[in-house]
Every structure is written in C-alpha cells, then in structure tokens.
Amino acid sequence: MRSLAAGTLLAITALTPAGTAFAHDASTVVASGRQTYNLNPDWRSTTGDVAGAEQPGFDDAGWQPVTLPNAFNEKQAFARDIRELSTGITWYRKRITLPAGAAGRRAFLEFEGVRQAAEVWVNGKPVVLSEHGAMAFGADITDALRPGGNVIAVRVDNDWRYKERATGSGFQWNDRNFNVNYGGITRNVRLHLTGPVYQTLPLYSSLGTTGQYVWADQFDIARRAATVHAESQVRSAAGADRRVTLRVEVRDRDGKRIASFDGAPAVVKAGETRTLSAAQRLTGLHFWSWGYGYLYTVTTSLIENGKAIDSVDTVTGFRQTRFADGMVELNGRVIQVHGYAQRTSNEWPAVGVSIPPWISDFSNALLVESGGNLVRWMHIAPSKQDVESADRVGLIQAMPAGDAEHDVEGRRWEQRKEVMRDAIIYNRNNPSILFYEGGNESISEAHMAELKAIRDQYDPKGGRAIGSREMLDSKQAEYGGEMLYINKSGDIPMWAMEYSRDEGARAYQDEFTPPFHKDSPDYNRNQDSHAAEDVRRWWDYYRVRPGTGKRVSSGGVNIIWSDSNTHFRGDNNYRRSGEVDAVRLPKQGFYAHQVMWNGWVDPEKPATHIIGHWNYAPGTVKDQMVVSNGESVELFLNGRSLGKGARSHGFLFTWPKVAWQPGTLRAVATHADGRKSAFTLETTGEAAALKLTPRTSPRGFVMDGADIALVDVEVVDAKGRRVPTAYNKVSFDLAGPAEWRGGIAQGDSTGKVRPDKPIAQESIPGTTSHPGTARAEDNHVLSRELPVEGGVNRVLLRAGTRPGAVRVIARTDGLKPAELTIPVVMPKAPSGGLSLDFPEAYQHGSLVRGPTPSTPSYRVTRTTHVPAQVVAGDNGAEAAKSIDDNELSRWSSAGKPDTAWIEYRFDTPVTLSEVELKLVGWRTRAYPLRILLDGKTVWEGLSDKSLGYIGIPFAPATGRVLRIVQTGPSADRDAFGNIVELATARQAGDTGANEVSPGWRLGIVEADFHGPVGGRGRK
C-alpha cells in the first residue's frame, strides 16, 4: 500500500545554520543595534466588547491566556458552515518590558495580519487602526512607550458587514462565500527596536515605508552567474546628519558568506527618508527552482565609522523568468504550470489558520510531492508564513491581494489598489511569487493599467507577471486564462485559474466499498471516479501543451489542494474538492497527479498507479483503472495477464468487468523509450491492531502554546499493512501538556441520523445553492472518537506551555490498542514578554527536485502552419478573426446553408494532419462538418463538444487551400452536466454562444493547422 506521502518533508527539514526568523527581521549574522522580538507568547483574550480594556490599568486577570496566532472561533473550523462562523468583538492584551538600553531607540509593532479590523493601543494611546483584514500592518510606538512595563491592547472586529470608518464602505473580499472568517490576531506579531537611523519596514499603508528590495538580473544560467542588487529605504530620526554606507553580505543556505560589497557613501539628513543601493556580479549561484528552494540570506547593514549600526536579513532566492510566446520560462526552461487553486485560508480542522510554520511546510511540500508546481491563492493575499514556506519548498505562487468575483468602482477599487500595493511591497523579495493576480474575474483595461503601474513602481525588477482571471484580449495584462476552459496563446501565457471542480470525500472510495458511494449527482464523486475525472480534465490542457504548436496552453490549476471550510456544494458544509482532505491525507487524485505531473512539461520519470485498493467481497466485479505516463499498460492478477488496458485521455487505462480474487494485482507499463514502470496492490489480512505514528516539527513537539503535533492512526493487519476497507470508530485518550484538537471524518459526533431528503443551502448572492444530506453535521471536529476512513485518519494536538511527555492511547472494539509517547521540547523562555524563539528559524527548506535541468522540457510533436489569407461564404471581413490569437473574437456565417463555409489559403503547399478548432458554443454545440484540402475531403463527421479546443486528426495530406464546410444544422445540448458556477454562456466565457444561434451558423473562435514534425523544439 501507499505511504502517507509525507516522507519528503521529514527528510528535507533541518536546522539551518544561517537560520533567520522573518524576511525583514534584525540580522542574526551581523550584530548591530537593531533587535527583533517574537510577541506571540503570553497574551490574554476575551470575547465581547469591554469598556476601558485599552487602558493600561485594566484588570484582565480573568481573561483567557492565549498564544498567537489565535482566532477566537478557530474550534469551529470545519464543524460549521462558513456563514455560521461566530463574529463579534475580541480583545487581546499583552504586557512587555523593554530590555536594558532601549531608551532612545525607535520601536515598531508589526502585525502580519488581523481579521477583520484591528484597533491598537499602547499604554492607552491609540497607535494604529487597520481595517482591511487582508495584509500586514505596523505602528510606530516609540512615543507611546514608557520605562518599565508597557501594555499593548488590541480590539478586533470580525463582523461580515464591517464598514470602513472614514468612508462607510465595506471591503469586497470580506465575503461569506470565499473568505473564511476566523476572527482575531490570526498571524504573527513582532516588535522591532532600532537606532535613530534605521532601515524601514515594508509596511506602506500604516508606516509609509517600503523596506528592502533585493533582486538579480543579467543572468548567465549555464555559468550560474547573475548580478545581485540590494536596495534599502533608510530613515533618520537623528538630530543631525549622518554619513553611512550600505553594506550587502550574501550567505548561502549553510551560512557561508559568499559575497560582501558596499554602495556609495551617503549623507542621511536629519528627518530624511532615502534609498541606498549596492550591486555586484556573483558566480557559482544556485538558482531557485521548482522543488529546489535554495535560499540566500542577504544582510543589508548601515555602516557608520566602520561599525554596523543597523542590520537586516532578507531571505530570498534568485531565478530568471520569461513570459512570452504563450509560455512561462523559469531559469531558461519552459514550465507548464500544474498545481492547485487553494483558498488563502489554507485552514485545518479545529485550529483554522492558527498553525506553526512547520505545518505550512508539511502541506506545501506535500503539494510539490503530488507534482504541483504552482499554488494560486484565492481572493486575498496569502499569509507571510505561507509565502515563505513556498520559498522553502520550491513552490511557485500566484499572489492576489483582495477581491471577490468581479470588478468594482469607487472606494472599493481604491481599497483593492491599496492592498495590492501593500502586498507587493511586503512580498517582493520572495522568489516563489511569479504572478500577481489583479482579479479573480476580469477587470477593466484601465484598472489593469493602474495595477501594472503599482507593480512597475514597487517591483520593476522582480521578474513577475501581473494579470487577472480572464483578460484574454487584454493589452495590459501579462497573463490570463479562464476559470474552467482551455485557452491557448502565442503571446502572453494563458493558464486555467480553476479547473476540475468536482467534489469527492476521502471516505467514499468506490461503489463496492463501505460506505458505498455512486456519483450522485455527477459532481459528487467517489475517489475512483474523482481520480479518473482529474485525468480527463488535465488531458484537455496537456494535449495542447508547449511543443504542440505556435499557440499553446501554459497549463492550469485544479481547484482545490486541500478540502476547505468554504463555498461548499456537495453533501457537506465544507468543500471536498481537494486532492488531499482537510488534514492532508491523500486521496486517489493525489497519486494520479503525481503520475501525470512529474515533469516540467512532458513527464520525465516513468510512473504508474493503480486507482483504488484490492480488498473486496467475493463476487465483486468492477472496472479497473490505472493511471500511467507509459504508452501501454498490462494488468496481472496473481500472475495471470488480463491483457492491455484501453487507453483514453492520454494517461488513463481501463479494464472492464474485472472479477476480484484475493491476492496481487500488478500493472506493468511500457514507455516510449522502452523503459518499464510498475505498481502493485495486494489484498491485506483482517484488521488486527491500531497503529499510531507521530509527526512533529524538526525540533520536536515544542511547548510554546502554538505548536501542533500530528498523529496518524491506522488499522493494520497482522503483518502491519494498512487495511484499506477499515472504517472502525477509534476513541482517544490524551495525557500531558497538550490540548486535544482532533481530526475530521464524515458524520456527526452526536450520532444524529442524516435526513432522508437533502437540506437546501440558503440562497446567497454569488454562491451556489446545492442540497446536501450532511449540511448540519459537525464532521467529528474536536470529538475524542472518530472513524478511520480507508483505514487511516489523522488527529491534531495543540501544544501547552509546560514540560512533560505527551501520551496518546487509541482504542477500538475488537482490535489491539495503540499507545504513543511524544517527548516535548521547551522553547527559549521570553523575558519581559519578549521572545527570541522563532519557529521559522528551524525550517531549512527542500532541494528534493534538484536544480533546473539544462535539457529541453518538451519535444515538438507537430508543426503549425499559418494561413496567408482567409475567405468565407459571408461575413468575409470577420474571417481573419478565426486565426487572430484572440479568444474573445470570432467569425460566424450568416445562417444560410450555402454560405456556411470558411477557407484558409497558404502561400505554398503544406502537409497537414490535424485541424484544431475552438468553435462557438464549444461546450454545448456540435457541428456537422466536412474538411477539404485542395477540394479533396480529408475528414467528415460531427464535431465533439469540449471545454475549449477540439482536435480533428486525419491522414497526412498536402495542399494549399483548406476549406471547412458545415453540412447540417447544429444543435445545443450541454455535454458536461451541471457546471453550476458557469450557469450562462456569458459567465462561462463561452464566446458567442449567446449571440450566435445554433442551426446553419458556423462559428469559429480560433483555428490552428498542424502537420507532422518538421522543425526543432524549443527548451
């Protein structure tokens, strides 16, 4: 049986000698007068509005002790529908005592994020109001501090209807459909102490400052060389002019200094803010890449009289990008993006977004292990913790800032610009961000130009494209792509922002395995069906990958990575579209992607996976499916060949009506180069015992009040093999300094019976409204008793703050129990409420995939020929729009049988073997067509319905004039069922379907003409 597919993370994490906590903290390698403290420990909190709680003398002894990050309603995560998450006012208070020598220093608070609005006081003095709930903010608290003890108080309001105080405007992204409302101080908090001349923080809206900016250019990939630039904004609160020099030191991931260089000396005048810079050519560099999170620590220091007076570490990586010819290049190699559209909340059951950095790395490294190379965060900017985690594991990111589903005007558009500016400044040193997303739906050209100008002002050298979902014909956007459909381009890259939207709970393996589940309705799938659908949907993009013509698809991202407490539409009150479940246990789709996605474009390693398990009841007969990147697959049952599978959608092989027999099922694939790959399933014995496996951070289970330990529970047979059909209910006992947070499973901890009739979702604008049978269930969240699913489940333990071992016992009726003891580690103790213990410093990163290969990432499979002239039976002035590389333009005939034709003329004879068409109404409309080359019919038939392009292959033929003729009337009928998010052709981007009626009207959006390979490929 498969492992839990998390071994990669455990093998790659280690303590980094050059470890630094945060991307713009005080340096850990160059001593200066600057210091950064972790303020997460030792807060007190209460819910409800409390008069006078901002005052330093207020008595908070009765409040709840908490460690940040903390959401007051985090225990509701996955137990409730997103719309029913608790809202209200939450207060937080913390006492700090500044270290000796702090007098006369500047002091800044940094909040990585608060949901929704935060008002902050220091010693009763208001210091900042942040209302957007989507980005970091800060406060200069120098004048509010006093000698001795100080009190920080924060009032948080997470009302869904929160309105900006100054304008009365709400925020578009404070949305009950997409943006889970875990209320409170949900991200990290820092205190920065500096001297009077200091490098600023990248917190523009609240402090008006931009911090550091590090980038590389003039790349020589083959020689591993580039010119490294560093800029730092410097501000002086000194009473006199100061002469300083910016010194830049670059250290590799092992802490070795590989370069040191200075900028020109500069005089910083009293009260002045200015930017200093330095640059140097470096060689022997390791370039950041997919699955190769090679990071450098770039230390910028202000040198005065030979001494560092202010030093900041920026953890970053260097990589080269290019966005052109319809493709994305990373370090000179084309990469077709394949990954996941993931809710920015990225939440876990019963803890929501309040997770330690190692959990972010665990999830993101697993995403890479599945073959994903891109995560598209959705609607709001990701947490800095997830941004830095993606850096470490080598995961490309697409970063939004704040929106919901459509363009807006007035104050709400200004809010979107402000949060985009803040997010760019805050995250512009993170190499994993390759895309800035201006909208989850198309925005106007004027608005895109405004966002592009912000990018050009604050990140002109970072090698990042800015674009939006849709924007297919934009002159401003640098990439585009629709939500579901297949787009091609020979210009800016087009990749699908969300595809393969069907749901499938991990518990429902197939219709032959308890608890038995047939697809009903079509989008509510079992794991076998969900995995096969993943293959079918990816094939649509892969078949038009780089190498297949002059116009190609740059890929797409599957929605979603992990099951999410948002936007449900299946049976449950949470979304189950993930390829892993909410606790990151893989579904069958995980392994399907691992097979298809193991290369940059073409698969690079032979791989095969049998979908499902091999434990069934006698008499079971089922269609057996295998996913493989081989050319053919033979299936063996107990050594007897069942023949070769029928191949479909490139990667899927099927054997109908296989009669189950206990024993071994083995699939052996033969690949184009003669290599073999194989995969084996075996029937396990009866369930005999429980097994517990701990998963902790690289330094263990840390008693800091915030760390989490994961514990996997499996039902195994006498040989220790997981029993894939086990559905036992397991009870847990916990002892020691940890809090039970449990896991998730189908069902309800109270034992309530599901209703006979589905429960309808309340109708809310902008949401889907689908009935489900499990709407009111709590999914066993926080329960001490929950079932395994497919023989396995996973539970969470939240760390306490005292020493002592943590002991877990698991029991189920009729099986041998399991017991586990987890040793604990005590963090560095805070002093005066200030901690120097940073969990991020222990996450070293992954180099699992190695550097960017120098070999081509794809081979050219066909040659594209471009017509010199296009003529048509009517509407001839529009005919050229069918080859203009613009999927929002089209040609159509006028509705007469004798003029429903179009002709493509080439300058010289060309050899053609396939015509590729995007036809008007592609999802719903089939056209009877005849294709002729120089008057001879090369193909005749009914066009397929599709989610974009169809390929019409025929025997190679040579000629100069290709004619496409409609031979009968067309009719509309949806071939893809109830794609509910795309209720109308206009919403779907189904170009022209509303305007071009069926019948005798031939409509073509784009046409491409291909022949046998006649040229050499590009890298």
Side-chain angles (χ1 to χ4, degrees), residues 116 132 160-164 167-176 178 379 401-420 438 443 447 450-451 454 765:
Q116 174 71 35
H132 49 64
W160 286 113
R161 297 170 300 279
Y162 182 86
K163 298 292 191 293
E164 194 174 45
T167 66
S169 171
F171 293 86
Q172 186 188 12
W173 53 88
N174 191 12
D175 183 279
R176 295 177 68 196
F178 308 112
H379 299 289
D403 78 340
E405 279 289 310
H406 53 80
D407 207 353
V408 289
E409 299 293 339
R411 178 58 193 150
R412 290 204 297 167
W413 173 248
E414 293 301 316
Q415 291 167 342
R416 281 176 61 168
K417 286 201 302 181
E418 290 164 6
V419 77
M420 176 60 79
I443 58 177
H447 282 175
E450 290 180 50
L451 296 183
I454 292 171

Side-chain angles (χ1 to χ4, degrees), residues 59-310:
D59 183 6
D60 58 18
W63 290 15
Q64 178 72 28
V66 297
T67 302
L68 303 182
N70 167 268
F72 78 95
N73 57 353
E74 64 182 11
K75 291 183 179 180
Q76 298 169 8
F78 288 94
R80 293 188 183 184
D81 169 358
I82 177 178
R83 298 165 300 129
E84 296 175 358
L85 294 175
S86 298
T87 60
I89 306 300
T90 309
W91 278 90
Y92 296 84
R93 286 170 54 89
K94 178 181 175 67
R95 291 169 173 81
I96 62 172
T97 300
L98 297 182
R105 300 172 75 186
R106 310 297 300 177
F108 302 91
L109 287 177
E110 178 183 359
F111 290 82
E112 187 191 335
V114 176
R115 174 65 189 267
Q116 174 71 35
E119 193 168 6
V120 184
W121 293 264
V122 174
N123 297 324
K125 180 178 180 179
V127 294
V128 68
L129 170 66
S130 175
E131 300 177 281
H132 49 64
M135 260 306 299
F137 63 94
D140 185 338
I141 63 171
T142 306
D143 296 338
L145 292 174
R146 62 191 186 192
N150 294 268
V151 176
I152 303 169
V154 184
R155 180 185 183 271
V156 180
D157 184 347
N158 76 318
D159 192 334
W160 286 113
R161 297 170 300 279
Y162 182 86
K163 298 292 191 293
E164 194 174 45
R165 292 184 186 179
T167 66
S169 171
F171 293 86
Q172 186 188 12
W173 53 88
N174 191 12
D175 183 279
R176 295 177 68 196
N177 201 19
F178 308 112
N179 189 0
V180 175
N181 197 351
Y182 303 122
I185 307 177
T186 55
R187 299 177 184 174
N188 302 307
V189 182
R190 296 286 199 270
L191 173 68
H192 303 273
L193 299 180
T194 76
V197 180
Y198 60 93
Q199 299 175 76
T200 66
L201 294 167
L203 299 170
Y204 191 89
S205 285
S206 47
L207 295 176
T209 56
T210 57
Q212 296 71 49
Y213 185 33
V214 180
W215 77 92
D217 61 11
Q218 299 178 6
F219 287 89
D220 186 332
I221 299 297
R223 292 179 172 82
R224 295 171 52 196
T227 300
V228 173
H229 303 256
E231 292 180 354
S232 190
Q233 188 185 62
V234 178
R235 178 169 285 182
S236 174
D241 295 351
R242 303 279 286 269
R243 183 178 175 84
V244 297
T245 299
L246 183 71
R247 176 165 297 163
V248 180
E249 299 176 59
V250 182
R251 288 173 172 81
D252 65 17
R253 69 186 254 121
D254 297 318
K256 178 183 177 182
R257 191 175 73 176
I258 64 169
S260 178
F261 49 95
D262 292 353
V267 174
V268 183
K269 298 179 180 180
E272 183 183 17
T273 301
R274 64 178 300 178
T275 298
L276 305 183
S277 63
Q280 183 164 301
R281 187 80 174 164
L282 302 183
T283 59
L285 291 171
H286 296 266
F287 296 123
W288 186 95
S289 188
W290 173 35
Y292 191 72
Y294 201 102
L295 301 176
Y296 291 87
T297 299
V298 178
T299 305
T300 49
S301 299
L302 301 182
I303 305 298
E304 184 180 46
N305 298 324
K307 180 181 178 181
I309 62 170
D310 187 87

Side-chain angles (χ1 to χ4, degrees), residues 505 507-508 515-517 524 570-574 576 727 745-748 750-759 772-780 787 789:
Y508 302 139
F516 309 112
H517 184 81
N524 190 12
D571 280 344
N572 297 77
N573 54 21
Y574 66 94
R576 300 164 305 144
Y727 204 69
Q746 295 293 299
D748 191 274
T750 66
K752 70 173 67 171
V753 179
R754 290 184 179 178
D756 294 333
K757 295 182 179 180
I759 302 169
T773 58
R775 286 285 187 265
E777 293 179 350
D778 68 6
N779 310 306
H780 294 278
E789 296 176 339

Side-chain angles (χ1 to χ4, degrees), residues 4 362 583-585 695 710-712 742-743 793-796:
L4 295 178
F362 179 86
V583 291
R584 278 54 173 184
L585 286 169
R695 299 177 185 275
L710 305 177
V711 179
D712 297 343
N793 215 324
R794 176 174 287 154
V795 297
L796 288 73

Side-chain angles (χ1 to χ4, degrees), residues 438-558:
N440 189 64
E441 196 172 87
S442 62
I443 58 177
S444 70
E445 283 287 83
H447 282 175
M448 179 54 72
E450 290 180 50
L451 296 183
K452 191 174 179 180
I454 292 171
R455 189 279 310 271
D456 291 345
Q457 180 176 357
Y458 295 106
D459 186 19
K461 304 293 186 180
R464 298 178 175 95
I466 189 164
S468 169
R469 200 181 97 195
E470 301 172 354
M471 305 298 285
L472 304 182
D473 63 345
S474 173
K475 304 303 181 185
Q476 297 291 333
E478 296 166 340
Y479 71 94
E482 296 183 79
M483 182 170 74
L484 177 69
Y485 296 134
I486 291 81
N487 305 115
K488 296 201 301 177
S489 173
D491 185 16
I492 65 172
M494 294 287 177
W495 50 272
M497 309 285 169
E498 308 167 28
Y499 80 91
S500 198
R501 308 176 65 83
D502 292 358
E503 307 247 346
R506 191 175 63 82
Y508 302 139
Q509 300 187 72
D510 55 43
E511 59 186 278
F512 307 102
T513 305
F516 309 112
H517 184 81
K518 292 185 178 182
D519 295 351
S520 179
D522 288 347
Y523 59 79
N524 190 12
R525 298 182 179 275
N526 58 48
Q527 281 205 62
D528 278 15
S529 170
H530 199 188
E533 181 69 5
D534 283 335
V535 176
R536 287 189 285 266
R537 294 286 68 83
W538 175 245
W539 173 247
D540 291 334
Y541 301 95
Y542 181 76
R543 62 171 297 275
V544 288
R545 66 196 179 278
T548 61
K550 291 186 177 181
R551 300 178 63 252
V552 297
S553 165
S554 271
V557 288
N558 180 322

